[in-house]
Short mmCIF file of all heavy atoms in Angstrom, two decimals:
data_model
loop_
_atom_site.label_atom_id
_atom_site.label_comp_id
_atom_site.label_asym_id
_atom_site.label_seq_id
_atom_site.Cartn_x
_atom_site.Cartn_y
_atom_site.Cartn_z
N VAL A 93 -4.30 86.99 -24.42
CA VAL A 93 -4.15 85.65 -23.86
C VAL A 93 -3.54 85.77 -22.44
O VAL A 93 -3.78 85.03 -21.45
CB VAL A 93 -3.41 84.71 -24.85
CG1 VAL A 93 -1.95 85.25 -25.19
CG2 VAL A 93 -3.21 83.31 -24.26
N ASN A 94 -2.58 86.57 -22.34
CA ASN A 94 -1.83 86.58 -20.89
C ASN A 94 -2.76 87.26 -19.97
O ASN A 94 -2.79 86.85 -18.76
CB ASN A 94 -0.56 87.38 -20.94
CG ASN A 94 0.54 86.62 -21.80
OD1 ASN A 94 0.62 85.47 -21.72
ND2 ASN A 94 1.44 87.31 -22.49
N ASN A 97 -5.07 84.68 -18.91
CA ASN A 97 -4.49 83.71 -17.92
C ASN A 97 -4.19 84.42 -16.62
O ASN A 97 -3.59 83.70 -15.79
CB ASN A 97 -3.16 83.29 -18.66
CG ASN A 97 -3.45 82.20 -19.71
OD1 ASN A 97 -4.33 81.53 -19.70
ND2 ASN A 97 -2.40 82.11 -20.63
N VAL A 99 -2.45 87.08 -16.07
CA VAL A 99 -1.01 87.72 -15.88
C VAL A 99 -1.06 89.00 -16.76
O VAL A 99 -0.29 89.11 -17.72
CB VAL A 99 0.00 86.67 -16.37
CG1 VAL A 99 1.38 87.22 -15.92
CG2 VAL A 99 -0.29 85.30 -16.00
N THR A 101 0.20 91.72 -16.22
CA THR A 101 1.57 92.47 -16.39
C THR A 101 2.27 92.06 -17.47
O THR A 101 3.25 92.71 -17.85
CB THR A 101 2.27 92.16 -15.06
OG1 THR A 101 2.09 90.73 -14.66
CG2 THR A 101 1.90 92.99 -13.85
N SER A 102 1.85 90.94 -18.11
CA SER A 102 2.56 90.38 -19.31
C SER A 102 1.71 90.69 -20.54
O SER A 102 1.72 89.94 -21.64
CB SER A 102 2.85 88.89 -19.31
OG SER A 102 3.87 88.72 -18.36
N HIS A 163 -0.99 88.99 -4.27
CA HIS A 163 -0.34 88.12 -5.18
C HIS A 163 0.70 87.18 -4.50
O HIS A 163 0.90 86.02 -4.84
CB HIS A 163 0.32 89.01 -6.30
CG HIS A 163 0.99 88.22 -7.43
ND1 HIS A 163 0.22 87.37 -8.19
CD2 HIS A 163 2.19 88.21 -8.00
CE1 HIS A 163 0.91 86.80 -9.10
NE2 HIS A 163 2.25 87.23 -8.97
N ASP A 238 5.97 73.80 14.49
CA ASP A 238 6.37 72.43 14.55
C ASP A 238 7.82 72.06 14.30
O ASP A 238 8.18 70.92 13.84
CB ASP A 238 5.52 71.45 13.53
CG ASP A 238 4.11 71.36 13.95
OD1 ASP A 238 3.78 71.48 15.18
OD2 ASP A 238 3.29 70.98 13.11
N VAL A 240 9.50 72.71 11.76
CA VAL A 240 9.76 72.57 10.27
C VAL A 240 9.85 73.67 9.52
O VAL A 240 10.43 73.62 8.41
CB VAL A 240 8.82 71.52 9.78
CG1 VAL A 240 9.06 70.12 10.23
CG2 VAL A 240 7.33 71.97 9.92
N ASP A 243 4.37 76.87 6.29
CA ASP A 243 3.84 76.21 5.11
C ASP A 243 4.21 77.13 3.92
O ASP A 243 4.50 76.66 2.87
CB ASP A 243 2.36 76.06 5.25
CG ASP A 243 1.96 75.14 6.31
OD1 ASP A 243 2.62 74.05 6.52
OD2 ASP A 243 0.95 75.38 7.06
N MET A 255 15.41 86.89 0.29
CA MET A 255 15.05 85.69 -0.31
C MET A 255 15.59 84.54 0.44
O MET A 255 15.00 83.52 0.71
CB MET A 255 15.39 85.73 -1.79
CG MET A 255 15.15 84.48 -2.46
SD MET A 255 13.34 84.04 -2.51
CE MET A 255 12.64 85.00 -3.94
N ARG A 263 8.95 75.40 5.29
CA ARG A 263 9.15 73.94 5.56
C ARG A 263 9.31 73.14 4.34
O ARG A 263 9.09 73.61 3.15
CB ARG A 263 7.81 73.52 6.35
CG ARG A 263 6.63 73.36 5.33
CD ARG A 263 5.47 72.29 5.91
NE ARG A 263 4.25 72.52 5.23
CZ ARG A 263 3.93 71.86 4.14
NH1 ARG A 263 4.93 71.11 3.55
NH2 ARG A 263 2.75 72.01 3.64
N PRO A 264 9.87 71.98 4.52
CA PRO A 264 10.01 71.02 3.34
C PRO A 264 8.60 70.91 2.63
O PRO A 264 7.62 70.68 3.30
CB PRO A 264 10.45 69.64 3.94
CG PRO A 264 11.16 70.04 5.12
CD PRO A 264 10.49 71.30 5.69
N GLY A 265 8.56 71.01 1.27
CA GLY A 265 7.37 70.92 0.54
C GLY A 265 6.57 72.19 0.59
O GLY A 265 5.47 72.23 -0.04
N GLY A 266 7.05 73.30 1.08
CA GLY A 266 6.27 74.51 1.24
C GLY A 266 6.68 75.40 0.04
O GLY A 266 7.41 75.03 -0.95
N MET A 267 6.05 76.53 0.08
CA MET A 267 6.30 77.44 -1.13
C MET A 267 6.58 78.87 -0.65
O MET A 267 5.95 79.42 0.20
CB MET A 267 4.97 77.43 -1.95
CG MET A 267 5.10 78.32 -3.28
SD MET A 267 5.88 77.43 -4.58
CE MET A 267 4.56 76.49 -5.29
N TYR A 270 6.79 85.27 -3.90
CA TYR A 270 7.66 86.44 -3.76
C TYR A 270 7.12 87.57 -4.77
O TYR A 270 6.68 87.28 -5.89
CB TYR A 270 9.06 86.07 -4.12
CG TYR A 270 9.40 85.89 -5.62
CD1 TYR A 270 10.19 86.78 -6.28
CD2 TYR A 270 8.97 84.79 -6.31
CE1 TYR A 270 10.49 86.59 -7.67
CE2 TYR A 270 9.18 84.57 -7.62
CZ TYR A 270 9.95 85.55 -8.34
OH TYR A 270 10.27 85.34 -9.56
N VAL A 271 7.32 88.79 -4.28
CA VAL A 271 6.78 89.95 -5.07
C VAL A 271 7.79 91.04 -4.87
O VAL A 271 7.68 92.06 -5.55
CB VAL A 271 5.39 90.42 -4.59
CG1 VAL A 271 4.30 89.39 -5.07
CG2 VAL A 271 5.35 90.65 -3.16
N GLY A 272 8.79 90.81 -4.10
CA GLY A 272 9.93 91.90 -3.89
C GLY A 272 10.67 91.89 -5.24
O GLY A 272 11.15 90.99 -5.75
N VAL A 273 10.67 93.16 -5.78
CA VAL A 273 11.42 93.39 -7.10
C VAL A 273 12.82 92.95 -6.84
O VAL A 273 13.51 93.49 -6.02
CB VAL A 273 11.31 94.85 -7.60
CG1 VAL A 273 11.97 94.95 -8.94
CG2 VAL A 273 9.87 95.24 -7.67
N PRO A 274 13.36 91.92 -7.53
CA PRO A 274 14.65 91.48 -7.31
C PRO A 274 15.75 92.56 -7.58
O PRO A 274 15.78 93.06 -8.71
CB PRO A 274 14.87 90.25 -8.31
CG PRO A 274 13.42 89.91 -8.83
CD PRO A 274 12.72 91.14 -8.70
N GLY A 277 19.04 91.21 -8.88
CA GLY A 277 18.89 89.92 -9.39
C GLY A 277 19.55 88.79 -8.68
O GLY A 277 20.51 88.11 -9.04
N PRO A 278 19.11 88.53 -7.39
CA PRO A 278 19.80 87.51 -6.56
C PRO A 278 19.28 86.12 -7.35
O PRO A 278 18.18 86.07 -7.91
CB PRO A 278 18.98 87.48 -5.34
CG PRO A 278 17.78 88.33 -5.49
CD PRO A 278 18.03 89.25 -6.57
N GLU A 279 20.14 85.34 -7.51
CA GLU A 279 19.91 84.00 -8.10
C GLU A 279 19.45 83.03 -7.00
O GLU A 279 19.85 83.22 -5.85
CB GLU A 279 21.14 83.46 -8.81
CG GLU A 279 21.76 84.38 -9.77
CD GLU A 279 21.41 84.18 -11.21
OE1 GLU A 279 21.80 83.21 -11.72
OE2 GLU A 279 20.70 85.07 -11.76
N LEU A 280 18.67 82.01 -7.45
CA LEU A 280 18.10 81.10 -6.42
C LEU A 280 18.97 79.90 -6.28
O LEU A 280 19.31 79.32 -7.32
CB LEU A 280 16.70 80.77 -6.82
CG LEU A 280 15.60 81.91 -6.91
CD1 LEU A 280 14.32 81.39 -7.39
CD2 LEU A 280 15.47 82.51 -5.43
N PRO A 281 19.19 79.45 -5.23
CA PRO A 281 20.09 78.23 -4.94
C PRO A 281 19.29 77.00 -5.17
O PRO A 281 18.62 76.39 -4.23
CB PRO A 281 20.52 78.30 -3.45
CG PRO A 281 19.48 79.04 -2.84
CD PRO A 281 18.81 79.93 -3.90
N ILE A 282 19.22 76.42 -6.38
CA ILE A 282 18.31 75.40 -6.64
C ILE A 282 18.74 74.07 -5.93
O ILE A 282 17.80 73.26 -5.61
CB ILE A 282 18.27 75.17 -8.30
CG1 ILE A 282 16.97 74.22 -8.49
CG2 ILE A 282 19.62 74.52 -8.71
CD1 ILE A 282 16.78 74.11 -9.97
N GLY A 283 19.94 73.90 -5.62
CA GLY A 283 20.33 72.68 -4.87
C GLY A 283 19.62 72.70 -3.62
O GLY A 283 19.10 71.50 -3.23
N MET A 285 16.91 74.24 -2.69
CA MET A 285 15.48 74.10 -2.87
C MET A 285 15.13 72.64 -3.22
O MET A 285 14.11 72.19 -2.68
CB MET A 285 15.05 75.04 -4.15
CG MET A 285 15.12 76.46 -3.84
SD MET A 285 15.09 77.45 -5.36
CE MET A 285 13.47 77.07 -6.05
N PHE A 286 15.84 72.07 -4.10
CA PHE A 286 15.65 70.67 -4.57
C PHE A 286 15.52 69.64 -3.37
O PHE A 286 14.61 68.87 -3.26
CB PHE A 286 16.66 70.24 -5.49
CG PHE A 286 16.48 68.82 -6.03
CD1 PHE A 286 15.67 68.69 -7.22
CD2 PHE A 286 17.16 67.86 -5.48
CE1 PHE A 286 15.63 67.41 -7.77
CE2 PHE A 286 17.00 66.43 -6.00
CZ PHE A 286 16.19 66.30 -7.13
N GLY A 287 16.56 69.77 -2.43
CA GLY A 287 16.60 68.76 -1.42
C GLY A 287 15.42 68.81 -0.40
O GLY A 287 15.02 67.89 0.10
N ARG A 288 14.86 70.07 -0.25
CA ARG A 288 13.73 70.31 0.70
C ARG A 288 12.37 70.48 -0.08
O ARG A 288 11.43 70.72 0.66
CB ARG A 288 14.13 71.41 1.63
CG ARG A 288 15.34 71.31 2.42
CD ARG A 288 15.70 72.53 3.23
NE ARG A 288 14.72 72.71 4.30
CZ ARG A 288 13.91 73.70 4.35
NH1 ARG A 288 14.01 74.73 3.46
NH2 ARG A 288 13.12 73.91 5.27
N ASN A 289 12.38 70.43 -1.30
CA ASN A 289 11.19 70.66 -2.08
C ASN A 289 10.48 71.91 -1.80
O ASN A 289 9.27 71.96 -1.51
CB ASN A 289 10.13 69.44 -1.87
CG ASN A 289 10.33 68.20 -2.82
OD1 ASN A 289 9.83 68.32 -3.98
ND2 ASN A 289 11.08 67.29 -2.35
N VAL A 290 11.28 72.96 -1.77
CA VAL A 290 10.79 74.28 -1.53
C VAL A 290 10.51 74.98 -2.90
O VAL A 290 11.61 75.09 -3.59
CB VAL A 290 11.72 75.03 -0.60
CG1 VAL A 290 11.21 76.57 -0.52
CG2 VAL A 290 11.63 74.54 0.90
N GLY A 291 9.39 75.40 -3.16
CA GLY A 291 9.05 76.09 -4.47
C GLY A 291 9.12 77.56 -4.34
O GLY A 291 9.01 78.09 -3.17
N VAL A 292 9.28 78.23 -5.44
CA VAL A 292 9.25 79.66 -5.51
C VAL A 292 8.37 80.04 -6.55
O VAL A 292 8.44 79.71 -7.76
CB VAL A 292 10.71 80.20 -5.81
CG1 VAL A 292 10.73 81.70 -6.11
CG2 VAL A 292 11.65 79.82 -4.67
N ASN A 293 7.34 80.99 -6.29
CA ASN A 293 6.39 81.31 -7.27
C ASN A 293 5.98 82.81 -6.96
O ASN A 293 6.01 83.25 -5.97
CB ASN A 293 5.19 80.53 -7.16
CG ASN A 293 4.19 80.56 -8.29
OD1 ASN A 293 4.65 80.88 -9.49
ND2 ASN A 293 2.95 80.45 -8.01
N GLY A 294 5.82 83.54 -8.08
CA GLY A 294 5.33 84.93 -7.96
C GLY A 294 6.01 85.74 -9.02
O GLY A 294 6.39 85.25 -10.09
N GLY A 295 6.17 87.09 -8.77
CA GLY A 295 6.71 88.00 -9.67
C GLY A 295 5.99 89.22 -9.67
O GLY A 295 5.30 89.65 -8.69
N VAL A 296 6.19 90.09 -10.77
CA VAL A 296 5.52 91.32 -10.74
C VAL A 296 3.97 91.19 -10.87
O VAL A 296 3.52 90.46 -11.62
CB VAL A 296 5.99 92.09 -12.01
CG1 VAL A 296 5.90 91.38 -13.32
CG2 VAL A 296 5.35 93.46 -12.16
N ALA A 297 3.37 91.72 -9.79
CA ALA A 297 1.94 91.34 -9.44
C ALA A 297 0.88 91.82 -10.50
O ALA A 297 0.81 92.94 -10.72
CB ALA A 297 1.59 91.79 -8.10
N PRO A 298 0.10 90.96 -11.04
CA PRO A 298 -0.89 91.38 -11.98
C PRO A 298 -2.08 91.91 -11.25
O PRO A 298 -3.27 91.22 -11.20
CB PRO A 298 -1.16 90.03 -12.71
CG PRO A 298 -0.88 88.96 -11.71
CD PRO A 298 0.27 89.40 -10.89
N VAL B 93 6.11 64.73 10.86
CA VAL B 93 5.56 65.89 10.37
C VAL B 93 5.72 66.10 8.87
O VAL B 93 4.87 66.48 8.07
CB VAL B 93 5.86 67.17 11.20
CG1 VAL B 93 7.34 67.40 11.24
CG2 VAL B 93 5.16 68.42 10.71
N ASN B 94 7.00 65.84 8.52
CA ASN B 94 7.27 66.03 7.06
C ASN B 94 6.64 65.00 6.26
O ASN B 94 6.04 65.31 5.11
CB ASN B 94 8.76 66.10 6.75
CG ASN B 94 9.46 67.24 7.28
OD1 ASN B 94 8.87 68.40 7.29
ND2 ASN B 94 10.62 67.25 7.85
N ASN B 97 3.02 65.85 5.85
CA ASN B 97 2.99 66.91 4.85
C ASN B 97 3.19 66.50 3.41
O ASN B 97 3.26 67.46 2.59
CB ASN B 97 3.89 68.12 5.22
CG ASN B 97 3.44 68.98 6.39
OD1 ASN B 97 2.25 69.04 6.66
ND2 ASN B 97 4.45 69.61 7.01
N VAL B 99 5.93 65.14 2.26
CA VAL B 99 7.40 65.20 1.83
C VAL B 99 8.29 64.16 2.65
O VAL B 99 9.12 64.54 3.33
CB VAL B 99 7.90 66.68 2.11
CG1 VAL B 99 9.12 67.02 1.33
CG2 VAL B 99 6.77 67.69 1.86
N THR B 101 10.53 62.43 1.70
CA THR B 101 12.04 62.53 1.36
C THR B 101 12.70 63.39 2.39
O THR B 101 13.96 63.30 2.52
CB THR B 101 12.31 63.20 -0.09
OG1 THR B 101 11.25 64.26 -0.28
CG2 THR B 101 12.08 62.05 -1.10
N SER B 102 11.87 64.24 3.13
CA SER B 102 12.56 64.96 4.27
C SER B 102 12.10 64.32 5.57
O SER B 102 12.18 65.08 6.60
CB SER B 102 11.99 66.50 4.18
OG SER B 102 12.53 67.18 2.98
N HIS B 163 5.50 63.42 -9.59
CA HIS B 163 5.90 64.66 -8.76
C HIS B 163 6.10 65.92 -9.57
O HIS B 163 5.71 66.94 -9.21
CB HIS B 163 7.10 64.33 -7.95
CG HIS B 163 7.42 65.28 -6.95
ND1 HIS B 163 6.60 65.83 -5.96
CD2 HIS B 163 8.54 66.08 -6.71
CE1 HIS B 163 7.08 66.58 -5.10
NE2 HIS B 163 8.42 66.88 -5.59
N ASP B 238 -0.52 78.89 -28.40
CA ASP B 238 -1.03 80.33 -28.58
C ASP B 238 0.15 81.44 -28.53
O ASP B 238 -0.11 82.54 -28.11
CB ASP B 238 -2.00 80.75 -27.31
CG ASP B 238 -3.31 79.96 -27.42
OD1 ASP B 238 -3.72 79.60 -28.60
OD2 ASP B 238 -4.11 79.96 -26.50
N VAL B 240 2.40 81.73 -26.54
CA VAL B 240 2.87 82.17 -25.24
C VAL B 240 3.73 81.21 -24.39
O VAL B 240 4.41 81.65 -23.44
CB VAL B 240 1.56 82.60 -24.27
CG1 VAL B 240 0.99 83.88 -24.75
CG2 VAL B 240 0.61 81.53 -24.14
N ASP B 243 1.50 75.86 -20.37
CA ASP B 243 1.02 76.25 -19.09
C ASP B 243 1.94 75.71 -17.95
O ASP B 243 2.21 76.36 -16.98
CB ASP B 243 -0.34 75.58 -18.73
CG ASP B 243 -1.54 76.17 -19.72
OD1 ASP B 243 -1.46 77.41 -19.96
OD2 ASP B 243 -2.35 75.43 -20.13
N MET B 255 17.10 73.38 -17.63
CA MET B 255 16.24 74.26 -16.74
C MET B 255 16.05 75.63 -17.54
O MET B 255 14.82 76.12 -17.50
CB MET B 255 16.90 74.63 -15.39
CG MET B 255 16.10 75.42 -14.50
SD MET B 255 14.50 74.88 -14.19
CE MET B 255 14.73 73.90 -12.59
N ARG B 263 4.72 79.70 -20.17
CA ARG B 263 4.10 80.84 -20.42
C ARG B 263 4.11 81.74 -19.22
O ARG B 263 4.25 81.34 -18.11
CB ARG B 263 2.55 80.56 -20.83
CG ARG B 263 1.68 80.16 -19.66
CD ARG B 263 0.21 80.37 -19.93
NE ARG B 263 -0.71 79.73 -18.92
CZ ARG B 263 -0.99 80.23 -17.81
NH1 ARG B 263 -0.42 81.27 -17.34
NH2 ARG B 263 -1.86 79.46 -17.09
N PRO B 264 3.88 83.10 -19.36
CA PRO B 264 3.73 84.00 -18.25
C PRO B 264 2.63 83.48 -17.27
O PRO B 264 1.55 83.06 -17.64
CB PRO B 264 3.31 85.31 -18.87
CG PRO B 264 3.88 85.29 -20.25
CD PRO B 264 3.74 83.83 -20.67
N GLY B 265 3.05 83.36 -16.00
CA GLY B 265 2.12 82.86 -15.05
C GLY B 265 2.13 81.38 -14.94
O GLY B 265 1.42 80.77 -14.08
N GLY B 266 3.00 80.67 -15.73
CA GLY B 266 2.97 79.24 -15.69
C GLY B 266 3.98 78.70 -14.60
O GLY B 266 4.62 79.58 -13.96
N MET B 267 4.10 77.42 -14.61
CA MET B 267 4.93 76.86 -13.58
C MET B 267 5.88 75.71 -14.08
O MET B 267 5.37 74.92 -14.76
CB MET B 267 4.10 76.23 -12.41
CG MET B 267 4.83 75.68 -11.27
SD MET B 267 5.31 76.80 -9.91
CE MET B 267 3.90 76.93 -9.04
N TYR B 270 9.96 70.60 -11.35
CA TYR B 270 11.30 70.03 -11.76
C TYR B 270 11.69 68.89 -10.80
O TYR B 270 11.43 68.99 -9.58
CB TYR B 270 12.43 71.04 -11.67
CG TYR B 270 12.92 71.59 -10.33
CD1 TYR B 270 14.18 71.31 -9.89
CD2 TYR B 270 12.09 72.26 -9.54
CE1 TYR B 270 14.55 71.60 -8.64
CE2 TYR B 270 12.43 72.63 -8.29
CZ TYR B 270 13.69 72.41 -7.89
OH TYR B 270 14.07 72.64 -6.58
N VAL B 271 12.31 67.91 -11.35
CA VAL B 271 12.68 66.67 -10.62
C VAL B 271 14.06 66.22 -10.99
O VAL B 271 14.60 65.27 -10.42
CB VAL B 271 11.73 65.58 -10.72
CG1 VAL B 271 10.38 65.92 -9.95
CG2 VAL B 271 11.38 65.18 -12.14
N GLY B 272 14.66 66.93 -12.10
CA GLY B 272 16.01 66.52 -12.40
C GLY B 272 16.90 66.98 -11.38
O GLY B 272 16.94 68.11 -10.98
N VAL B 273 17.73 65.96 -10.87
CA VAL B 273 18.65 66.32 -9.84
C VAL B 273 19.64 67.42 -10.30
O VAL B 273 20.26 67.20 -11.29
CB VAL B 273 19.43 65.05 -9.36
CG1 VAL B 273 20.40 65.39 -8.19
CG2 VAL B 273 18.49 63.84 -9.05
N PRO B 274 19.63 68.52 -9.53
CA PRO B 274 20.52 69.62 -10.13
C PRO B 274 21.91 69.14 -10.25
O PRO B 274 22.56 68.95 -9.18
CB PRO B 274 20.30 70.73 -9.13
CG PRO B 274 19.05 70.38 -8.38
CD PRO B 274 19.05 68.90 -8.30
N GLY B 277 24.41 72.17 -9.52
CA GLY B 277 23.68 73.26 -8.95
C GLY B 277 23.47 74.50 -9.82
O GLY B 277 23.82 75.56 -9.48
N PRO B 278 22.80 74.33 -10.93
CA PRO B 278 22.50 75.58 -11.76
C PRO B 278 21.64 76.45 -10.87
O PRO B 278 20.82 76.06 -10.09
CB PRO B 278 21.67 75.08 -12.85
CG PRO B 278 21.02 73.80 -12.41
CD PRO B 278 22.02 73.26 -11.47
N GLU B 279 21.91 77.79 -10.87
CA GLU B 279 21.14 78.70 -10.12
C GLU B 279 20.09 79.26 -11.02
O GLU B 279 20.12 79.25 -12.21
CB GLU B 279 22.11 79.84 -9.60
CG GLU B 279 23.22 79.43 -8.97
CD GLU B 279 23.18 79.51 -7.45
OE1 GLU B 279 23.17 80.63 -6.95
OE2 GLU B 279 23.16 78.41 -6.75
N LEU B 280 18.92 79.71 -10.42
CA LEU B 280 17.82 80.08 -11.10
C LEU B 280 17.91 81.68 -11.37
O LEU B 280 18.12 82.31 -10.46
CB LEU B 280 16.52 79.70 -10.52
CG LEU B 280 16.29 78.26 -10.24
CD1 LEU B 280 14.99 78.05 -9.41
CD2 LEU B 280 16.11 77.61 -11.62
N PRO B 281 17.56 82.11 -12.54
CA PRO B 281 17.70 83.54 -12.90
C PRO B 281 16.42 84.19 -12.33
O PRO B 281 15.40 84.35 -13.23
CB PRO B 281 17.74 83.62 -14.46
CG PRO B 281 17.11 82.29 -14.83
CD PRO B 281 17.28 81.30 -13.72
N ILE B 282 16.26 84.82 -11.19
CA ILE B 282 15.09 85.13 -10.64
C ILE B 282 14.52 86.42 -11.38
O ILE B 282 13.35 86.58 -11.40
CB ILE B 282 15.23 85.43 -9.10
CG1 ILE B 282 13.88 85.55 -8.44
CG2 ILE B 282 16.06 86.67 -8.87
CD1 ILE B 282 13.95 85.68 -7.01
N GLY B 283 15.44 87.21 -11.95
CA GLY B 283 14.90 88.42 -12.60
C GLY B 283 14.04 88.01 -13.70
O GLY B 283 12.95 88.62 -13.91
N MET B 285 12.41 85.21 -14.12
CA MET B 285 11.26 84.55 -13.48
C MET B 285 10.19 85.53 -13.05
O MET B 285 9.08 85.51 -13.32
CB MET B 285 11.62 83.65 -12.30
CG MET B 285 12.44 82.44 -12.68
SD MET B 285 13.21 81.62 -11.33
CE MET B 285 11.78 81.23 -10.24
N PHE B 286 10.81 86.68 -12.44
CA PHE B 286 10.01 87.72 -11.76
C PHE B 286 9.05 88.37 -12.89
O PHE B 286 7.88 88.60 -12.66
CB PHE B 286 10.90 88.67 -11.24
CG PHE B 286 10.06 89.82 -10.38
CD1 PHE B 286 9.63 89.59 -9.11
CD2 PHE B 286 9.99 91.05 -11.04
CE1 PHE B 286 8.97 90.76 -8.50
CE2 PHE B 286 9.22 92.07 -10.39
CZ PHE B 286 8.69 91.93 -9.17
N GLY B 287 9.76 88.84 -13.98
CA GLY B 287 9.12 89.56 -15.01
C GLY B 287 8.01 88.86 -15.64
O GLY B 287 7.02 89.41 -16.04
N ARG B 288 8.09 87.53 -15.75
CA ARG B 288 7.11 86.74 -16.50
C ARG B 288 6.25 85.96 -15.51
O ARG B 288 5.44 85.15 -15.95
CB ARG B 288 7.76 85.84 -17.48
CG ARG B 288 8.59 86.63 -18.60
CD ARG B 288 9.29 85.73 -19.51
NE ARG B 288 8.29 84.94 -20.27
CZ ARG B 288 8.15 83.65 -20.25
NH1 ARG B 288 8.90 82.91 -19.46
NH2 ARG B 288 7.30 83.04 -21.07
N ASN B 289 6.46 86.06 -14.20
CA ASN B 289 5.68 85.32 -13.22
C ASN B 289 5.77 83.77 -13.36
O ASN B 289 4.79 83.09 -13.51
CB ASN B 289 4.24 85.78 -13.26
CG ASN B 289 4.03 86.93 -12.27
OD1 ASN B 289 3.87 86.70 -10.99
ND2 ASN B 289 3.95 88.18 -12.83
N VAL B 290 7.01 83.31 -13.77
CA VAL B 290 7.14 81.90 -13.91
C VAL B 290 7.59 81.33 -12.56
O VAL B 290 8.72 81.77 -12.17
CB VAL B 290 8.09 81.63 -15.02
CG1 VAL B 290 8.44 80.17 -15.07
CG2 VAL B 290 7.51 81.98 -16.37
N GLY B 291 6.95 80.29 -12.08
CA GLY B 291 7.31 79.76 -10.75
C GLY B 291 8.10 78.32 -10.98
O GLY B 291 8.10 77.84 -12.11
N VAL B 292 8.82 78.01 -10.00
CA VAL B 292 9.57 76.74 -9.99
C VAL B 292 9.27 76.00 -8.80
O VAL B 292 9.43 76.53 -7.68
CB VAL B 292 11.10 77.10 -10.07
CG1 VAL B 292 11.96 75.84 -9.94
CG2 VAL B 292 11.40 77.79 -11.34
N ASN B 293 8.81 74.70 -8.99
CA ASN B 293 8.45 73.90 -7.77
C ASN B 293 8.81 72.50 -8.00
O ASN B 293 8.71 71.97 -9.20
CB ASN B 293 6.86 74.08 -7.56
CG ASN B 293 6.38 73.51 -6.23
OD1 ASN B 293 7.17 73.59 -5.22
ND2 ASN B 293 5.31 73.04 -6.22
N GLY B 294 9.21 71.73 -7.01
CA GLY B 294 9.47 70.41 -7.12
C GLY B 294 10.76 70.13 -6.26
O GLY B 294 11.04 70.79 -5.32
N GLY B 295 11.48 69.01 -6.64
CA GLY B 295 12.70 68.62 -5.90
C GLY B 295 12.70 67.07 -5.91
O GLY B 295 12.02 66.49 -6.76
N VAL B 296 13.43 66.67 -4.92
CA VAL B 296 13.63 65.16 -4.80
C VAL B 296 12.22 64.62 -4.48
O VAL B 296 11.59 64.92 -3.45
CB VAL B 296 14.70 64.82 -3.79
CG1 VAL B 296 14.44 65.53 -2.31
CG2 VAL B 296 14.86 63.34 -3.55
N ALA B 297 11.81 63.70 -5.29
CA ALA B 297 10.34 63.25 -5.35
C ALA B 297 10.01 62.44 -4.10
O ALA B 297 10.55 61.35 -3.95
CB ALA B 297 10.00 62.54 -6.58
N PRO B 298 8.99 62.84 -3.38
CA PRO B 298 8.49 61.97 -2.24
C PRO B 298 7.64 60.84 -2.74
O PRO B 298 6.47 60.82 -2.45
CB PRO B 298 7.75 62.94 -1.39
CG PRO B 298 7.23 63.95 -2.35
CD PRO B 298 8.24 64.07 -3.41
#
Side-chain angles (χ1 to χ4, degrees):
Chain A
V93 58
N94 289 326
N97 281 334
V99 199
T101 39
S102 292
H163 187 55
D238 284 339
V240 288
D243 295 320
M255 181 56 89
R263 71 157 168 83
M267 181 82 86
Y270 78 110
V271 291
V273 183
E279 308 261 292
L280 298 175
I282 194 173
M285 291 165 60
F286 182 86
R288 302 177 67 244
N289 272 280
V290 170
V292 171
N293 193 30
V296 54
Chain B
V93 58
N94 289 326
N97 280 334
V99 200
T101 39
S102 293
H163 187 55
D238 285 341
V240 288
D243 296 320
M255 181 56 90
R263 71 158 168 81
M267 180 84 85
Y270 78 110
V271 291
V273 184
E279 308 261 291
L280 298 175
I282 196 171
M285 292 165 60
F286 182 86
R288 302 178 66 245
N289 272 281
V290 170
V292 171
N293 193 30
V296 54

